[in-house]
Amino acid sequence: MIINHPLLGPRDAQEFTYLGDASLISRPDAQDDNAAEKFHDYLYLRDNPAGLHRELWFHESGDRSWLVVTRNTVTHEITDVQLARDVARKEGRSK
Amino acid sequence: MRYSGFKVIKEALTGHKGWTPQWRDPEPQSHYDFVIIGGGGHGLATAYYLAKEFGESRIAVLEKGWIGGGNVGRNTTIIRSNYLLDGNEPFYEFSLKLWEGLEQDFNYNAMVSQRGILNLVHTDAQRDAARRRGNAMILNGSDAELLDVEGVRKLYPFLNFDNARFPIKGGLLHRRGGTVRHDAVAWGYARGADMRGVDIIQNCEVTGFKIEDGTCLGVETTRGYIGAGKVGVSVAGSSSRVMEKAGMRLPMESHVLQAFVSEGLKPVLPGVITYGAGHFYCSQSDKGGLVFGGDIDGYNSYAQRGNMPVIEDVAEGGISLIPALGRVRLLRAWGGIMDMSMDGSPIIDKTHIDGLYFNGGWCYGGFKATPAAGWCFAHLLKTDTPHDTATAYRFDRFRTGHMIDEKGQGAQPNLH
Ligand SMILES: Cc1cc2nc3c(=O)[nH]c(=O)nc-3n(C[C@H](O)[C@H](O)[C@H](O)COP(=O)(O)OP(=O)(O)OC[C@H]3O[C@@H](n4cnc5c(N)ncnc54)[C@H](O)[C@@H]3O)c2cc1C
């Protein structure tokens, strides 16, 4: 698989390590009333779709940036790549 | 029809005209007491034990393709009882004991071969870990022997003993471990279940559940609605997709695991060996091909095929352990979809929906579990209580903190 890095261009997926579903960006608030329940779902439950999947890849042997890659889990085709930082900011996070 | 040596000779003398199909091809009925989804090893074993051990007869196994087309026909066929943790080892020991009597039990040649498994150690720390694991195995009724380097050399003189970075320092030998002809396991259970009245319905994909007031009443399929007293889901890599139709999200990711087989060779490898310094394991099939594998590819996948980097990594591991492998040609490679759970251990449990039960999360190690998983799932379906050896395989262990994490990796499925 080739990941089209937004800053560095096409890179072999071998340069990256894989973390998982991009929902991991949206950590629950530890002050919430039912925080324990929310952390259980956040940490352990996954949609695990067959089809488009937004997921976190870390460019470990490259510029060490985190990316959000949209990839089809049935065909392995990659259709979108963004810096995780940009995605997090769009979701209202400070960094 | 019972199979025997006498029957083989008789058929040989009469032109092989007396063999009949090993199972029927029935039309689905409108209602069964038990509907098992998934005609893999686990689903078929569940139906077999429900009929044979728990006296049930109105049972159907629904399979979306053909039986044995999933992971049961794609794995590297290793069976073993060498786990460390209390929640696991009694279960896998139960499974190995069932393997030991299986062929007589279901009257089918599954080529169960207890040729021994050797886990190599390359450092002092690994030797300590092997000693601890061996003790845990022995405490649970399994067998383990710690070999020094001379002991390993006697068994496998051709290994790369004096590698500067990863010298071989010994190994943990589990003599009762071995290999089994995987397809024959699916076929043997299918035939045994069919003989006891189980309907095995192929080309029948479950597309939804009928759930009313928190009770599961039956399943929608590509061959129409089928009512059920109880529904057991056992679909391995498709677990999340099927349970989503019942509104559930699982503690699981689906990942692709590849396996490889070489051209046929004369007998070179009498047992199973695993490399302790890279992810590579290998055995030789009775046809002569070396059967080997390594890590999962590491990203979510439903593709049943993997990518080049893992192939390269496995080949590197293989050649660094057995330099002679460099001369061997690779014949085939394939992939299967693993139901990777969050702690690397399985779930055999009821769901919050009455009448709906789940068996899955077997990661890359569910083949060895097939007999016990079938038995324990049948026990749960029949009695609504877990079998003694499967009490830890609960859905709520992630909530209560009772994870069974053999590798101590945490909630990261691609590391288990
Ligand atoms: C390459 C590889 C190597 C492995 N090596 C080993 C090993 O050496 N030792 C070991 O112990 N384990 C090994 N495993 C793991 C083992 O194969 C699996 O854990 C085990 O086979 C899973 O259980 P099963 O046999 O029931 O799965 P499967 O055979 O996958 O059965 C599940 C069935 O469910 C069906 N299904 C899915 N969705 C639906 C639906 N909606 N409706 C109806 N049917 C459906 C599928 O078609 C499939 O036939 C390996 C796996 C792979 C891929």
Side-chain angles (χ1 to χ4, degrees):
Chain A
M1 291 186 294
I2 304 288
I3 296 176
N4 196 4
H5 192 298
L7 305 176
L8 304 175
R11 310 299 310 184
D12 194 313
Q14 239 185 314
E15 295 175 2
F16 296 77
T17 52
Y18 179 81
L19 184 68
D21 194 308
S23 66
L24 289 169
I25 293 177
S26 316
R27 212 179 159 86
D29 184 347
Q31 306 301 317
D32 266 6
D33 286 345
N34 54 349
E37 193 59 25
K38 284 189 172 160
F39 268 99
H40 166 265
D41 293 1
Y42 167 82
L43 194 55
Y44 296 115
L45 302 187
R46 298 287 182 270
D47 287 341
N48 194 18
L52 290 187
H53 188 225
R54 290 175 72 241
E55 53 201 24
L56 284 163
W57 291 75
F58 177 54
H59 199 191
E60 189 170 26
S61 345
D63 70 345
R64 305 186 74 77
S65 58
W66 281 94
L67 304 182
V68 173
V69 174
T70 306
R71 193 178 55 93
N72 188 323
T73 58
V74 178
T75 62
H76 296 163
E77 187 194 3
I78 294 171
T79 45
D80 186 56
V81 184
Q82 296 180 42
L83 288 173
R85 190 180 53 200
D86 294 346
V87 174
R89 282 198 178 129
K90 256 182 250 155
E91 286 173 11
R93 292 261 304 272
S94 59
K95 55 176 182 168
Chain B
M1 181 198 300
R2 265 196 81 75
Y3 294 154
S4 64
F6 174 72
K7 176 83 185 151
V8 172
I9 294 167
K10 184 173 163 232
E11 286 301 322
L13 296 175
T14 54
H16 290 291
K17 297 207 178 71
W19 300 115
T20 51
Q22 301 194 359
W23 52 86
R24 296 162 296 131
D25 184 20
E27 285 299 312
Q29 297 173 25
S30 58
H31 189 276
Y32 292 92
D33 293 342
F34 296 89
V35 164
I36 311 297
I37 307 175
H42 289 211
L44 293 164
T46 304
Y48 174 79
Y49 291 120
L50 263 177
K52 179 160 184 286
E53 302 298 331
F54 298 95
E56 294 294 336
S57 61
R58 298 195 40 76
I59 307 165
V61 177
L62 310 182
E63 165 56 48
K64 76 171 173 192
W66 65 94
I67 59 168
N71 291 339
V72 70
R74 293 167 184 266
N75 64 73
T76 40
T77 79
I78 296 164
I79 62 164
R80 54 188 168 90
S81 160
N82 63 354
Y83 283 69
L84 175 70
L85 299 180
D86 285 345
N88 274 332
E89 183 52 19
F91 172 87
Y92 287 102
E93 181 54 24
F94 176 47
S95 203
L96 191 54
K97 292 213 167 78
L98 289 174
W99 282 117
E100 287 171 336
L102 183 66
E103 294 166 298
Q104 296 302 321
D105 188 70
F106 67 13
N107 179 231
Y108 206 86
N109 182 7
M111 295 163 69
V112 176
S113 164
Q114 293 180 289
R115 54 183 70 182
I117 294 182
L118 180 64
N119 300 126
L120 295 167
V121 303
H122 307 267
T123 63
D124 292 343
Q126 274 186 326
R127 190 191 293 109
D128 291 347
R131 189 183 297 276
R132 177 175 175 225
R133 177 180 297 266
N135 285 336
M137 290 159 65
I138 291 167
L139 281 173
N140 284 293
S142 185
D143 69 286
E145 275 166 60
L146 197 60
L147 301 185
D148 60 11
V149 67
E150 286 317 311
V152 175
R153 213 185 282 275
K154 229 177 270 165
L155 289 176
Y156 298 104
F158 50 82
L159 300 181
N160 189 3
F161 283 90
D162 303 318
N163 181 304
R165 178 69 182 85
F166 300 114
I168 293 171
K169 300 215 162 192
L172 189 66
L173 180 63
H174 172 40
R175 289 192 192 270
R176 287 161 63 242
T179 59
V180 181
R181 169 82 199 278
H182 52 1
D183 306 302
V185 173
W187 300 334
Y189 275 123
R191 171 172 166 271
D194 177 88
M195 273 168 30
R196 290 170 177 81
V198 174
D199 282 356
I200 294 166
I201 301 165
Q202 305 185 70
N203 299 310
C204 181
E205 178 172 357
V206 170
T207 53
F209 296 91
K210 185 172 177 193
I211 297 168
E212 278 173 15
D213 302 325
T215 303
C216 181
L217 303 174
V219 294
E220 300 293 346
T221 82
T222 47
R223 296 177 68 172
Y225 174 76
I226 301 173
K230 291 179 176 179
V231 176
V233 180
S234 191
V235 293
S238 302
S239 292
S240 296
R241 296 177 75 180
V242 172
M243 297 312 277
E244 185 201 355
K245 298 184 167 84
M248 288 179 71
R249 284 174 87 215
L250 300 185
M252 237 166 259
E253 287 176 4
S254 294
H255 285 258
V256 59
L257 175 66
Q258 304 190 65
F260 311 88
V261 64
S262 77
E263 59 188 332
L265 305 171
K266 289 183 179 171
V268 284
L269 201 63
V272 183
I273 49 176
T274 74
Y275 192 23
H279 206 153
F280 171 82
Y281 62 93
C282 190
S283 66
Q284 187 170 21
S285 80
D286 293 329
K287 281 191 287 185
L290 295 176
V291 181
F292 55 98
D295 268 325
I296 56 175
D297 271 41
Y299 43 81
N300 287 44
S301 176
Y302 285 92
Q304 289 191 325
R305 62 184 162 75
N307 274 300
M308 286 304 284
V310 166
I311 301 179
E312 201 179 346
D313 187 63
V314 170
E316 282 171 356
I319 289 170
S320 72
L321 177 63
I322 314 175
L325 266 189
R327 295 286 182 102
V328 174
R329 274 168 296 195
L330 188 66
L331 198 62
R332 289 187 291 131
W334 64 92
I337 301 306
M338 322 281 35
D339 31 341
M340 298 296 299
S341 69
M342 285 291 164
D343 59 357
S345 293
I347 292 165
I348 306 178
D349 202 0
K350 301 186 217 184
T351 68
H352 66 283
I353 298 162
D354 276 344
L356 183 61
Y357 301 75
F358 178 78
N359 164 50
W362 290 98
C363 304
Y364 44 77
F367 178 66
K368 72 178 84 67
T370 304
W375 188 300
C376 294
F377 200 32
H379 185 283
L380 178 73
L381 281 160
K382 170 77 181 196
T383 66
D384 278 308
T385 53
H387 185 268
D388 282 347
T389 63
T391 51
Y393 296 154
R394 300 166 61 102
F395 267 116
D396 67 3
R397 67 174 184 264
F398 301 99
R399 190 169 268 110
T400 59
H402 294 87
M403 268 75 80
I404 318 165
D405 191 342
E406 289 272 337
K407 276 172 100 182
Q409 295 284 19
Q412 183 67 40
N414 63 352
L415 298 182
H416 287 296

